[in-house]
Amino acid sequence: MTIHNFSAGPASLPAAVKQQLKSELDNWQNTGTSVMEVSHRSPEFKALMADNEALLRSLLGISDEYAVLLVPGGARLQYAMLPMNLSAPNRKTVYHVNGYWGFLAYQEAQKFSQVVTTTEPPKAPYQPQHSLGDYDAAQIDTDADYFHYTSNETLEGIQWHTLPDSNGLPLCCDMTSDLMTREVNIDDYGIIYASAQKNLGIAGLTLVIVRKDFIGQHDNNIPTLMDYATFEQHNSAYNTPPTFVWYVMYLVLQWYQQQGGIQVMQIRNRAKAQKLYDFIDNSTFYSNRVAPGIRSEVNVPFWLADDGLNEQFLRESSAAGLKALKGHKAVGGMRASIYNAVPMQAVDALIEFMRNFEKQHA
Amino acid sequence: MTIHNFSAGPASLPAAVKQQLKSELDNWQNTGTSVMEVSHRSPEFKALMADNEALLRSLLGISDEYAVLLVPGGARLQYAMLPMNLSAPNRKTVYHVNGYWGFLAYQEAQKFSQVVTTTEPPKAPYQPQHSLGDYDAAQIDTDADYFHYTSNETLEGIQWHTLPDSNGLPLCCDMTSDLMTREVNIDDYGIIYASAQKNLGIAGLTLVIVRKDFIGQHDNNIPTLMDYATFEQHNSAYNTPPTFVWYVMYLVLQWYQQQGGIQVMQIRNRAKAQKLYDFIDNSTFYSNRVAPGIRSEVNVPFWLADDGLNEQFLRESSAAGLKALKGHKAVGGMRASIYNAVPMQAVDALIEFMRNFEKQHA
C-alpha cells in the first residue's frame, strides 16, 4: 500500500531524497563511512556547507547584503534570538498576531523587548482567529526596531498572499511553514527564518536569512550561541553543528533545483491546494472556515459536518495509508499539510477517500 | 578495505547501529515511513522518548532525584545555560580549568556569573596544559553556586580518574567526551552534561543529567528554550526536537545494553587505551607527553619524534584506511580517538601501521 504522509512537521521528504540518503549511507563522498561520522571540519563536509549556502542563495535569490545562517534548534528559539539580537529590553518592537505561532513569538519577545501589538493585545490561552487581523498601519510607531509577523499559520490554515504594511519598519517574518513553497522577494525583508522540518529536510536546524547590517548591533550580554554574529563569522559552524540535518537539507535543495526551482514548487503547491479546496467547497459534508483570499496553500484544515465521525474518519483514513490528518487540538477537525514533498497523487488519494467516506455517511 | 575512523567527533557509530538504521529507513515501527518524517507527538515517537530515558537511567544508574534532559545544540550552549540556570550575574561560581574545553566553559560563564578560578585565571589564547592543575580546595569559597570542571580534555588527552575536591560545592561536569565510556556515580554530581556526537550517537543533542532541586531556582529572564524547567516539564519536547538525532541515540543505547552495559564499555576502553599507550611508551619514535595517572582512555594524542614526517604519516595512514588521526591544531601531532564504537581491531590496525611506519623512517 502506498503511504501518504500529511504530517504538519516533521513532514514528508521527497522519495528521491530518501533513496539517495539510503544509497550513500555506507560510503559518503568516498570517505568509506557515513556522513554522520565525518568531522564538520573535514574538506568533504566543508564543501557541502559551501554548496548548501550557494544553492539557498540561488534558489531564493538571496543577495550578498544578506547572511545565510543555520542555527540549531527550532523556530521557537528564534522567538528569543530575534529580539535579543535586533532589539533590547528598553527598546520597542511591533508584533502582528493573526494565529497561534505569531502569538507564541509575541509572548517570548516580551522578555527581551517592549512589544507593541498592531491589534488589541492577545491573551493566553490563545484563541484561533480566522482572519489576517485589521490594523491601522499609519499608527505603527516608526521608532520600533522591527515589525514581526507569521506568513503562514499552520493551525488555522491562514496565509499572507501580500506583504503586510509595516509603516516602513523592517519586516521580520517567521516563514517556517511556507519558505521554499512559493516565490518570495528576500529584499522586502529584514529577516526571514524557517525551521527545517517542513520544507528544508528534517528537524534540528533553523534557516535564518538576515540583512548583514542587522547583525552584531546589539549591546545585550547574550550567549555566544544565540548571537547571529557568531554564526555569521563561523559559517554556522562555531561549534559542532547537527551535520546529518544539514546534509538532508542539502539533498532537499538539490532536489528542488533538479525539479526546476521554487517557481515549479509554487505551481505544484497552488494546483494541489486548489484541487483540495475546490473539493471541500463543493461538499456540504466537509467545510473550510477560512476566506478564499487568505487560505493557506500548504496547510488545509477541514471539518466534518458531524464531529462525531472524526475518530472514524481518522481510523479509516490511516488504514487507507493516509497518515497524520488529525487537526491541532486548539482548532479541532482535520488538517492536510501538503508541503513540497507531498505529491499531487497524495491529494488525489485523499480526495478519493473523502468522497467515499462522505458517500457512506452523508 | 576496512575503514577505521578515529575522529574526535562527530565520531564512529557502532556498525550494528548503522545496519539497523539502514534496515528500518523505509518503514520505521510499521509507520510505512522513515522515523525522520514522523511527528514527535505520534505514539511511536513518544514511546521511543520514554524508552530512551528509561535506558539512560538504567545504564547510568540515574535516580529519580535527577532529571534527564535532551537539549538541542552542543555542549557549548551548556556553557551558557549552566550559569544562567544555576547561578546569576551577581552570584559566584567556581571553575577549575585544566584544558581547552574547560577554558571555553570558563570564558562563557563570565557573562552570567562572577567566576572564580581555582588556579591563576587562564588567559586567551589558551595554552595547552599537561597536568590536572594544583589548587588548594580549602580555599574554595563555599558561598559559590557550583564547582565546574571537564572530566576529559580531548585536545590534551588528559582525564580525571578521581573526583576533584570541590570543598563541598555541587560538582558540575562537562563529560562530553567520556560519559558512557566508564562507570560513574551520578549521585556525586549536581549536573553532568555531554553532547551526543561522541558516545551517544550523532551531533545535534546534548544530554543533561541534573538534580531536580537545581531546576527552576533562578530568577533570570532567560529564553524559554534555555530554561532547564522547560525541558523537564515537557519531556524535552516543548517544541519539535531533532527527532532523528534522538532516534540514533536510542539505537546506540540499545547496543550498549546488548553489549553488557557501561561496565563492559569501560573494560574494553581500558584495554584499547592500555595497548596503544604501551606501544607508544615502548617506542622512541612516538611519544605521549601526559603522565600515566591522568592519561585519557578515549583520546590518545601522540607525537612523532620528527615533526617533518607528520604529513606523510597522515597521508599514508589515511590511504591504509586509518582516518582522522590529525591532532588538534592547538597541540599539533596526532590523536586517536577511541570511543565506545571504535573496536580493538581498529587499535590493532593503527599499531601495526605505526610499527611499519617507524621501521621505514627510524
Side-chain angles (χ1 to χ4, degrees):
Chain A
M1 180 171 62
T2 307
I3 300 292
H4 296 297
N5 183 5
F6 297 96
S7 176
S12 276
L13 290 171
V17 164
K18 283 202 280 184
Q19 194 50 48
Q20 184 178 349
L21 189 157
K22 198 174 169 183
S23 73
E24 54 194 32
L25 201 57
D26 289 327
N27 185 8
W28 177 70
Q29 298 276 353
N30 283 321
T31 55
T33 186
S34 78
V35 66
M36 294 177 270
E37 300 163 284
V38 170
S39 170
H40 54 297
R41 309 287 183 215
S42 66
E44 293 85 357
F45 201 82
K46 281 186 172 172
L48 180 148
M49 288 164 56
D51 287 355
N52 191 72
E53 179 173 334
L55 260 174
L56 278 167
R57 288 190 181 276
S58 137
L59 285 165
L60 289 169
I62 306 170
S63 79
D64 284 345
E65 285 175 46
Y66 289 80
V68 173
L69 314 177
L70 291 179
V71 182
R76 284 174 93 159
L77 192 66
Q78 297 307 311
Y79 293 173
M81 280 180 75
L82 192 64
M84 287 170 97
N85 279 271
L86 272 57
S87 191
N90 62 345
R91 293 187 54 83
K92 270 176 288 189
T93 54
V94 176
Y95 276 68
H96 179 71
V97 176
N98 61 258
Y100 181 75
W101 297 106
F103 176 68
L104 295 180
Y106 152 74
Q107 273 197 314
E108 183 77 0
Q110 292 177 69
K111 289 185 182 175
F112 311 103
S113 172
Q114 303 292 327
V115 183
V116 182
T117 48
T118 49
T119 58
E120 194 74 15
K123 287 183 180 49
Y126 183 72
Q127 298 302 315
Q129 297 178 34
H130 299 292
S131 80
L132 290 182
D134 286 328
Y135 65 95
D136 183 359
Q139 297 297 316
I140 290 175
D141 188 342
T142 55
D143 199 37
D145 286 319
Y146 60 78
F147 175 104
H148 181 276
Y149 78 111
T150 310
S151 55
N152 181 76
E153 284 288 355
T154 57
L155 270 62
E156 293 88 348
I158 291 181
Q159 190 173 29
W160 285 84
H161 296 289
T162 53
L163 283 180
D165 187 342
S166 66
N167 202 20
L169 291 180
L171 279 178
C172 295
C173 187
D174 179 357
M175 287 198 195
T176 287
S177 46
D178 65 1
L179 186 66
M180 316 306 291
T181 68
R182 58 178 181 174
E183 294 189 282
V184 56
N185 183 21
I186 304 289
D187 293 331
D188 289 334
Y189 296 87
I191 183 168
I192 292 169
Y193 59 96
S195 57
Q197 70 270 16
K198 296 172 197 292
N199 292 292
L200 285 163
I202 64 174
L205 278 172
T206 294
L207 169 64
V208 179
I209 303 164
V210 53
R211 265 177 51 185
K212 287 179 180 171
D213 57 339
F214 285 177
I215 299 177
Q217 299 305 309
H218 65 85
D219 52 10
N220 304 324
N221 204 13
I222 62 181
T224 305
L225 282 162
M226 293 194 78
D227 190 335
Y228 290 142
T230 304
F231 290 86
E232 186 190 27
Q233 287 159 19
H234 299 272
N235 296 315
S236 303
Y238 172 70
N239 67 338
T240 313
T243 49
F244 187 76
V245 181
W246 202 323
Y247 158 77
V248 178
M249 182 184 293
Y250 179 58
L251 298 189
V252 169
L253 295 178
Q254 285 183 306
W255 184 77
Y256 289 160
Q257 192 182 42
Q258 287 154 11
Q259 298 294 305
I262 301 303
Q263 201 179 5
V264 171
M265 293 299 132
Q266 174 168 310
I267 291 167
R268 289 186 191 167
N269 290 329
R270 295 237 154 119
K272 288 185 290 179
Q274 192 62 52
K275 194 183 261 193
L276 189 48
Y277 282 119
D278 281 350
F279 172 76
I280 292 168
D281 288 344
N282 287 322
S283 152
T284 51
F285 190 79
Y286 303 103
S287 66
N288 172 281
R289 300 169 186 176
V290 182
I294 60 167
R295 282 175 169 175
S296 169
E297 289 170 351
V298 282
N299 307 100
V300 181
F302 59 91
W303 287 263
L304 278 61
D306 177 2
D307 266 0
L309 290 171
N310 282 359
E311 284 310 311
Q312 190 180 351
F313 183 93
L314 286 168
R315 201 169 51 243
E316 292 184 10
S317 58
S318 179
L322 307 167
K323 303 291 185 185
L325 284 166
K326 190 173 184 175
H328 191 282
K329 59 175 187 272
V331 294
M334 307 295 153
R335 174 175 53 175
S337 294
I338 49 174
Y339 301 124
N340 287 345
V342 176
M344 180 62 93
Q345 182 199 1
V347 173
D348 288 337
L350 173 60
I351 290 173
E352 193 193 336
F353 173 84
M354 288 169 74
R355 186 177 283 126
N356 289 335
F357 190 86
E358 179 177 352
K359 269 188 200 151
Q360 287 165 36
H361 298 282
Chain B
M1 182 173 61
T2 307
I3 300 291
H4 296 297
N5 183 7
F6 297 96
S7 175
S12 275
L13 289 172
V17 164
K18 283 201 280 183
Q19 195 49 47
Q20 184 178 350
L21 189 156
K22 198 174 170 183
S23 73
E24 54 194 32
L25 202 58
D26 290 327
N27 184 9
W28 177 70
Q29 298 275 354
N30 284 321
T31 56
T33 184
S34 78
V35 65
M36 294 176 272
E37 301 162 285
V38 170
S39 169
H40 54 298
R41 309 286 182 216
S42 66
E44 293 86 357
F45 201 82
K46 280 186 173 173
L48 180 149
M49 288 164 56
D51 288 354
N52 191 73
E53 180 173 333
L55 260 175
L56 278 167
R57 287 189 182 275
S58 136
L59 286 165
L60 289 170
I62 306 170
S63 79
D64 284 346
E65 284 174 45
Y66 290 80
V68 173
L69 315 177
L70 292 179
V71 182
R76 284 173 93 159
L77 193 65
Q78 296 308 311
Y79 294 173
M81 280 180 74
L82 191 66
M84 287 169 97
N85 279 271
L86 271 58
S87 191
N90 62 344
R91 293 187 54 82
K92 271 176 286 188
T93 53
V94 176
Y95 276 67
H96 178 71
V97 176
N98 63 257
Y100 181 76
W101 296 106
F103 175 67
L104 295 180
Y106 151 74
Q107 273 196 315
E108 183 77 0
Q110 292 177 70
K111 288 184 182 174
F112 310 104
S113 173
Q114 303 292 328
V115 183
V116 181
T117 49
T118 48
T119 57
E120 194 74 15
K123 289 184 177 49
Y126 183 72
Q127 298 302 315
Q129 298 177 36
H130 299 291
S131 81
L132 291 181
D134 287 326
Y135 65 95
D136 182 0
Q139 297 297 317
I140 291 175
D141 188 343
T142 55
D143 199 38
D145 286 319
Y146 60 78
F147 175 103
H148 181 276
Y149 78 111
T150 310
S151 55
N152 181 75
E153 285 287 355
T154 57
L155 270 63
E156 294 88 349
I158 291 182
Q159 190 173 28
W160 284 84
H161 296 290
T162 54
L163 283 180
D165 187 343
S166 66
N167 202 18
L169 291 180
L171 279 179
C172 295
C173 187
D174 178 358
M175 286 197 195
T176 288
S177 45
D178 64 1
L179 185 66
M180 316 305 291
T181 67
R182 58 177 180 175
E183 293 190 281
V184 57
N185 182 20
I186 303 292
D187 293 331
D188 289 334
Y189 296 87
I191 183 167
I192 292 170
Y193 59 95
S195 57
Q197 69 272 14
K198 296 174 198 290
N199 291 292
L200 285 163
I202 64 174
L205 278 172
T206 294
L207 169 63
V208 179
I209 303 164
V210 53
R211 264 177 51 185
K212 286 179 180 170
D213 57 337
F214 286 178
I215 299 178
Q217 299 306 311
H218 66 86
D219 52 9
N220 304 324
N221 203 14
I222 62 181
T224 305
L225 283 162
M226 294 195 77
D227 191 334
Y228 290 142
T230 304
F231 290 86
E232 185 190 27
Q233 286 159 17
H234 298 272
N235 296 316
S236 303
Y238 172 71
N239 67 337
T240 313
T243 49
F244 187 75
V245 181
W246 202 323
Y247 158 78
V248 178
M249 182 184 293
Y250 179 58
L251 297 188
V252 170
L253 295 179
Q254 285 183 307
W255 185 76
Y256 288 160
Q257 193 181 42
Q258 287 154 11
Q259 297 295 304
I262 301 302
Q263 201 179 6
V264 171
M265 293 300 133
Q266 173 169 310
I267 292 167
R268 290 186 192 167
N269 290 328
R270 295 236 155 119
K272 288 184 291 178
Q274 193 61 50
K275 195 183 260 191
L276 189 48
Y277 282 119
D278 280 351
F279 171 77
I280 292 167
D281 288 344
N282 287 321
S283 151
T284 51
F285 190 79
Y286 304 104
S287 65
N288 172 281
R289 300 168 186 176
V290 182
I294 59 167
R295 280 174 170 175
S296 169
E297 288 170 352
V298 282
N299 306 101
V300 180
F302 59 90
W303 287 262
L304 278 61
D306 177 3
D307 267 0
L309 290 170
N310 282 358
E311 284 310 311
Q312 191 180 350
F313 182 93
L314 287 167
R315 199 169 53 244
E316 292 184 10
S317 59
S318 179
L322 307 167
K323 303 291 185 184
L325 284 167
K326 190 173 183 175
H328 192 281
K329 59 176 186 274
V331 292
M334 307 296 153
R335 174 175 52 175
S337 295
I338 50 175
Y339 301 124
N340 287 345
V342 176
M344 180 62 92
Q345 181 198 2
V347 173
D348 289 337
L350 173 60
I351 290 173
E352 192 192 338
F353 173 83
M354 289 169 73
R355 186 177 283 125
N356 290 335
F357 190 85
E358 178 177 353
K359 271 188 200 152
Q360 287 165 37
H361 298 282

